[in-house]
Amino acid sequence: MENLMGRYRNVSILAAAIFLQIVGLAVQVKVKRQADNESSSLIRVWAVTTVTPLEKGIVRLQAGGNRIWSNYLYLRGVRQENRALQQQIQQLQLEQVRLRQDAEQAKRLQALLGFKEQFIAKTAAAQVIGSSGSEQSRIVYLDKGTNQGIAADMAVISSDGVVGKVIRVFANTSQVLLINDQSSGVGAILEQSRLQGILKGKASGELVLDKIMSDEEVKPGEKVLTSGGDQIFPKGLPIGSVTRVSTGGQFLQVTLQPSASLNHLEEVLVITEKQDREPGTASGSTAARAADILAQRLPSVPDKPETPAASSGQSAAQGSTATQNAGPPATKTQLTGAVPAPKPPAATDQDPKTAKPLAAKPVVVPVSKPATNTVQPPAPSQAQPPSQAPGDTPQ
Amino acid sequence: MAVSYTSQREIEVYRFSLPVTVLVPLLAVFLQAFIPLRFPFFLHFDLPLLVVIFFAMARRNPTAGLLTGAAVGLLQDSLTGHPIGLYGIAKTVVGYGASSLGVKLDVENAGTRLLITVGFYIVHQVLYFTIARGLVGLDLGWSWPHELLAAVANALLGVFLFALMDKLKQRA
């Protein structure tokens, strides 16, 4: 017997080692299915704690070196670039005026229809410090964790578009599942055709939009946005654009080029807080209040309150549908010119360096503007729709 | 190709110092997690696997080989989003196989090392995908051309790395 044991000692150890790991796997899978909780988180914590400090150190050292190089040493062509950027800013400012008017109009229409949207209320900037190192698991590590307010299932975006979602959080590190992982799934919508599907990753790292019926038409180049249906990503964030459409079977195979550079991620934003609210922002509310003021000053308003003691806000509320949906009812103080401070602007603790490009692009769902305490005369574009509201008489 | 069978007496068994035993696998796992951030093509390589094969072949002790494979594999698993044990089992088998083969073959030869690494890379991938699909139910895609190319690329890198790591060996 001893000879037999000695002869098969190595094989026995191999069998024992494999058996133990299979049992370990079985336990994890069982626990994961029952409670979506990791039984073996301790070993993950150990591994992450061992590997990530070194990664953090190298990333910071590299970032410092890059900063010194690009900010102080390599300044060739900066003047020329600066001139070109100045011109670009002027052009963009002109375009911004037009877009702002369009946006205001869209918000008023949404307010009229009583739409509710998820707004990004708070974000946290984080740096990508590592990856899983495996083709089969497309995961990156961030340098922020529970101590910095990060939690599981938070959406992660970059200035270009959607990146992924947080799946595990440690004290000062978190694990993000990229949208091109095979186990990832994001609710998506095509910008032009408004067709909805599910975004998945393939083994090769390609992004594929699934569950679009094969009789639908999808054109290459069309942009794909988040649909908000997954309850993780707010609606309207850019995901990518269609590069290839192939038919076969019940559904189309729509291949996408992601907006965010998923292979070269450096800095990202974690959406730490979302808000459900109507799309009327501070400026939209101001427009509504301006409409109330106009309505009160006009003698021919049909739904005038019966008693002077009654709040003028009631009449304003009855005056137009837009007012009901877009902001709080007007009060006496509002009518005399002093307006109670509207909702404070959405707080962000993001790094200004990271926040700048994000704010410059129409990527993020709008964050409310800082409010003013006095009623400004309505801008022409803001004053027009209230005059068209039912009950208002044009001047 | 110089693949020569050797008797048990001719085989030289090597050992490694404790810092090398601990730090080299850790460095391999770290580099595997860090380099793809800057160079995404590096995802096709599997540095921890190469380290397991090297240690197993040099020590020529199946128990040591499988334990090294298990430890490195589990550490690698911890950094992925998948259940822990997928890489662990695959690398345990590779560690055992490489050390068992090391007893029978001249593993100092570059050609032998190339062939062995190609073979073990494919064994590793087949095991990983089989366990991932069969036991865990993961929906992973398999592509033979990709795996074969990756096996050759890993073997070429392996031959270079093995030559470097030979300097760390100490005669037992």
Side-chain angles (χ1 to χ4, degrees):
Chain A
M1 186 66 185
E2 277 179 20
N3 279 343
L4 200 69
M5 286 297 285
R7 195 173 172 185
Y8 295 108
R9 182 172 155 267
N10 288 330
V11 180
S12 309
I13 295 172
L14 173 70
I18 292 175
F19 177 74
L20 282 175
Q21 290 180 73
I22 288 175
V23 171
L25 263 177
V27 169
Q28 290 172 75
V29 173
K30 193 179 169 189
V31 170
K32 200 174 180 183
R33 280 177 187 161
Q34 279 178 353
D36 200 21
N37 193 8
E38 292 292 320
S39 64
S40 56
S41 61
L42 195 60
I43 192 167
R44 283 194 201 279
V45 172
W46 290 344
V48 169
T49 312
T50 311
V51 173
T52 53
L54 198 57
E55 290 176 334
K56 274 186 195 176
I58 289 182
V59 165
R60 279 175 192 165
L61 204 68
Q62 196 182 18
N66 284 345
R67 264 202 300 276
I68 291 170
W69 171 253
S70 56
N71 292 348
Y72 298 103
L73 299 175
Y74 189 73
L75 298 171
R76 195 179 160 203
V78 168
R79 279 178 203 281
Q80 199 179 352
E81 192 184 354
N82 192 33
R83 271 198 298 274
L85 288 172
Q86 295 280 5
Q87 285 178 355
Q88 201 180 357
I89 286 172
Q90 285 172 359
Q91 286 173 356
L92 288 172
Q93 278 173 338
L94 287 173
E95 195 181 346
Q96 195 187 12
V97 171
R98 187 180 60 78
L99 289 173
R100 193 181 291 159
Q101 288 176 357
D102 289 350
E104 289 295 337
Q105 190 180 15
K107 281 174 198 164
R108 283 192 298 273
L109 290 170
Q110 284 181 327
L112 272 171
L113 296 169
F115 278 178
K116 282 200 172 182
E117 280 184 8
Q118 276 195 326
F119 282 75
I120 297 172
K122 202 173 176 184
T123 59
Q127 192 147 27
V128 177
I129 56 165
S131 74
S132 70
S134 166
E135 275 187 299
Q136 281 76 45
S137 177
R138 292 182 190 272
I139 274 176
V140 292
Y141 284 84
L142 305 183
D143 67 342
K144 298 267 168 72
T146 44
N147 292 348
Q148 289 81 30
I150 309 294
D153 283 340
M154 283 181 174
V156 181
I157 58 174
S158 75
S159 58
D160 299 317
V162 174
V163 168
K165 69 166 183 175
V166 177
I167 52 168
R168 284 193 187 89
V169 195
F170 308 96
N172 292 303
T173 314
S174 49
Q175 208 179 41
V176 174
L177 184 74
L178 298 181
I179 53 171
N180 63 345
D181 185 88
Q182 293 176 85
S183 58
S184 169
V186 179
I189 186 167
L190 285 151
E191 192 180 35
Q192 300 295 323
S193 56
R194 312 307 291 173
L195 294 168
Q196 292 205 28
I198 297 170
L199 193 80
K200 287 182 171 178
K202 284 175 77 175
S204 56
E206 278 185 322
L207 272 177
V208 175
L209 188 59
D210 200 13
K211 305 293 179 200
I212 291 185
M213 300 301 286
S214 55
D215 56 348
E216 301 286 359
E217 192 185 358
V218 177
K219 289 176 185 167
E222 191 171 350
K223 286 199 164 60
V224 180
L225 311 171
T226 51
S227 69
D230 49 33
Q231 298 294 312
I232 288 175
F233 297 96
K235 189 177 178 180
L237 299 177
I239 294 174
S241 52
V242 176
T243 53
R244 200 171 63 243
V245 183
S246 54
T247 51
Q250 196 181 356
F251 301 108
L252 289 177
Q253 280 288 305
V254 183
T255 310
L256 307 184
Q257 171 71 35
S259 300
S261 178
L262 299 174
N263 288 332
H264 296 93
L265 290 168
E266 287 185 15
E267 283 170 340
V268 292
L269 288 177
V270 183
I271 301 173
T272 51
E273 199 179 314
K274 290 181 288 184
Q275 271 183 345
D276 272 331
R277 65 175 188 223
E278 289 167 11
T281 57
S283 61
S285 312
T286 310
R289 286 188 205 109
D292 300 338
I293 294 163
L294 281 173
Q296 286 298 311
R297 286 177 182 171
L298 291 170
S300 55
V301 175
D303 295 321
K304 204 174 177 181
E306 288 174 6
T307 56
S311 161
S312 54
Q314 285 175 349
S315 67
Q318 290 161 3
S320 73
T321 320
T323 313
Q324 286 171 9
N325 290 325
T331 59
K332 201 168 185 177
T333 48
Q334 280 176 300
L335 296 174
T336 53
V339 182
K343 264 187 175 176
T348 57
D349 63 348
Q350 64 196 33
D351 187 359
K353 199 177 77 179
T354 319
K356 198 177 174 185
L358 191 70
K361 294 184 179 186
V363 169
V364 180
V365 181
V367 177
S368 62
K369 294 174 186 173
T372 53
N373 282 332
T374 53
V375 173
Q376 300 294 326
S381 64
Q382 291 170 342
Q384 189 144 356
S387 67
Q388 294 166 349
D392 287 350
T393 310
Q395 286 180 326
Chain B
M1 196 65 62
V3 180
S4 60
Y5 286 88
T6 55
S7 72
Q8 189 79 22
R9 280 176 214 161
E10 291 170 20
I11 291 168
E12 287 196 74
V13 178
Y14 295 96
R15 65 184 181 85
F16 298 90
S17 64
L18 185 66
V20 169
T21 306
V22 175
L23 289 179
V24 170
L26 268 181
L27 186 68
V29 173
F30 165 73
L31 290 176
Q32 187 66 40
F34 187 74
I35 296 177
L37 279 183
R38 303 291 181 267
F39 306 101
F41 70 88
F42 201 82
L43 278 175
H44 301 298
F45 292 101
D46 194 339
L47 275 186
L49 176 70
L50 299 178
V51 167
V52 168
I53 294 173
F54 174 77
F55 274 96
M57 287 195 306
R59 285 187 179 127
R60 295 186 164 109
N61 179 343
T63 306
L66 75 90
L67 289 178
T68 305
V72 172
L74 289 175
L75 186 64
Q76 207 180 352
D77 272 320
S78 307
L79 295 177
T80 69
H82 296 157
I84 293 168
L86 294 174
Y87 276 123
I89 295 173
K91 284 190 168 60
T92 303
V93 175
V94 168
Y96 179 83
S99 53
S100 303
L101 214 60
V103 177
K104 293 173 184 167
L105 295 179
D106 171 21
V107 289
E108 308 296 318
N109 183 282
T112 315
R113 285 177 166 181
L114 191 85
L115 285 180
I116 287 177
T117 312
V118 168
F120 278 120
Y121 181 86
I122 293 169
V123 168
H124 175 269
Q125 292 300 92
V126 168
L127 279 169
Y128 183 90
F129 277 77
T130 308
I131 300 160
R133 284 176 170 178
L135 279 180
V136 185
L138 292 177
D139 185 22
L140 299 180
W142 174 269
S143 158
W144 270 111
H146 173 262
E147 298 305 335
L148 289 175
L149 274 175
V152 174
N154 274 277
L156 290 171
L157 178 66
V159 170
F160 173 71
L161 281 181
F162 294 166
L164 278 181
M165 288 193 288
D166 276 339
K167 294 179 172 46
L168 303 173
K169 291 195 293 194
Q170 298 170 346
R171 288 195 180 180

